[in-house]
Amino acid sequence: MDSDRSIAPIVSALSSKITDSLNARRRGIALLSFCLVMFLSALPSASAAAAVKGEKAQSARSEVSQAVAATYAASSFVCSGTAVDTGTTIKFKVAISKAAAGGTLSFNGQQADIRRLILTIYVKATQGFYSQEGLSHDQSELLANHWLASQVGDPGYAAVSVFVVAKSLIQGLVPGLGTAKLTRSSPTTFDGTAVDAIVGVVGGVKATIYIAAHGKPYLVGIFEPSKKSGGTIRFSDYNKKVRLKVPSNVISAPPTKGAAT
């Protein structure tokens, strides 16, 4: 189609620009995907173990470690979050399984639909979403409401991959968190679920981690109270089937520079 030929070069040329803009909000995105990243950084290493003192700290670390393992072992889960990052309101909700993932991502109310089936990522966003990311009016209008396809591992779509690839949620989104200080707080409830509360300061960021108190120790939620870059993350719907289809009328984006071929 002629429209495909006109859109594809723009997708190729602007994907890095979109990613740069998304990465500029990495702190807020990191909070939303803080769901698992924080926990791995909190796990004991040789240097961290030497710094941890007391049974309570060790117990909290152990509980977080078990929660990470249990969440990883689940066949699927839904992760949703709302955060504010220096004036930008970020929201997302995505169901993730090993074979597929999908949901929505929005910045200041401008939404993008995101999907992954095996190793292919699909993105469809509003004109306002692209305009907000720095594209011109004409470019945003041309790309709006078209499904764009790329491969997992393409650096031009790395910021989107964060939300639909479990491994991306865990690795490298929040570098340099340092040694987390974790303590076990009193049992409580989160969205009506009985949970154990783990309070932590990681890289200077205070957060409370909520872990299911009964059954498998799944992650249930995270609350970060900061008004400048804080928010809430929820985990739900563990081990439910994630059913998604390949979108129709997809435009294949050419690999961006540095993508594996």
Side-chain angles (χ1 to χ4, degrees):
M1 293 176 57
D2 291 341
S3 60
D4 287 3
R5 288 195 294 270
S6 63
I7 291 173
I10 293 179
V11 174
S12 178
L14 296 177
S15 59
S16 60
K17 185 175 183 179
I18 295 170
T19 301
D20 288 345
S21 181
L22 289 171
N23 285 339
R25 297 193 175 101
R26 195 181 184 101
R27 179 63 188 86
I29 292 173
L31 168 69
L32 292 176
S33 48
F34 198 47
C35 45
L36 296 177
V37 179
M38 173 180 177
F39 307 129
L40 286 192
S41 300
L43 300 183
S45 61
S47 59
V52 175
K53 296 180 180 179
E55 290 186 4
K56 289 185 178 180
Q58 293 288 2
S59 176
R61 285 180 177 277
S62 176
E63 190 164 358
V64 168
S65 178
Q66 291 173 19
V68 172
T71 300
Y72 243 145
S75 62
S76 67
F77 59 89
V78 173
C79 187
S80 59
T82 301
V84 176
D85 177 42
T86 58
T88 298
T89 299
I90 305 169
K91 296 182 179 181
F92 91 110
K93 183 175 183 179
V94 61
I96 301 177
S97 72
K98 293 176 176 60
T104 58
L105 163 68
S106 72
F107 294 135
N108 287 337
Q110 295 297 329
Q111 182 172 300
D113 295 321
I114 52 178
R115 295 182 191 177
R116 174 184 58 80
L117 285 98
I118 310 300
L119 295 178
T120 303
I121 293 175
Y122 303 92
V123 182
K124 181 177 72 172
T126 64
Q127 181 177 347
F129 184 94
Y130 287 123
S131 294
Q132 190 171 250
E133 297 311 311
L135 277 66
S136 71
H137 173 81
D138 290 345
Q139 293 166 341
S140 299
E141 186 176 47
L142 188 60
L143 292 178
N145 301 314
H146 287 281
W147 280 106
L148 309 177
S150 185
Q151 295 298 303
V152 171
D154 188 325
Y157 293 83
V160 175
S161 297
V162 165
F163 296 94
V164 291
V165 179
K167 186 175 182 180
S168 297
L169 286 173
I170 298 171
Q171 294 180 346
L173 272 177
V174 190
L177 285 175
T179 301
K181 297 180 180 180
L182 300 175
T183 57
R184 198 172 190 274
S185 186
S186 301
T188 183
T189 60
F190 184 90
D191 287 347
T193 299
V195 294
D196 294 330
I198 307 295
V199 179
V201 177
V202 181
V205 178
K206 182 179 180 181
T208 303
I209 307 161
Y210 298 101
I211 300 170
H214 305 298
K216 291 189 179 296
Y218 289 134
L219 302 173
V220 176
I222 301 169
F223 173 65
E224 184 177 330
S226 172
K227 293 182 179 180
K228 291 184 177 181
S229 57
T232 302
I233 296 167
R234 290 176 167 83
F235 297 84
S236 62
D237 298 316
Y238 279 93
N239 301 311
K240 294 186 177 181
K241 289 186 177 180
V242 178
R243 294 185 176 91
L244 292 168
K245 294 181 179 180
V246 175
S248 58
N249 301 318
V250 173
I251 299 167
S252 295
T256 54
K257 185 176 181 181
T261 56

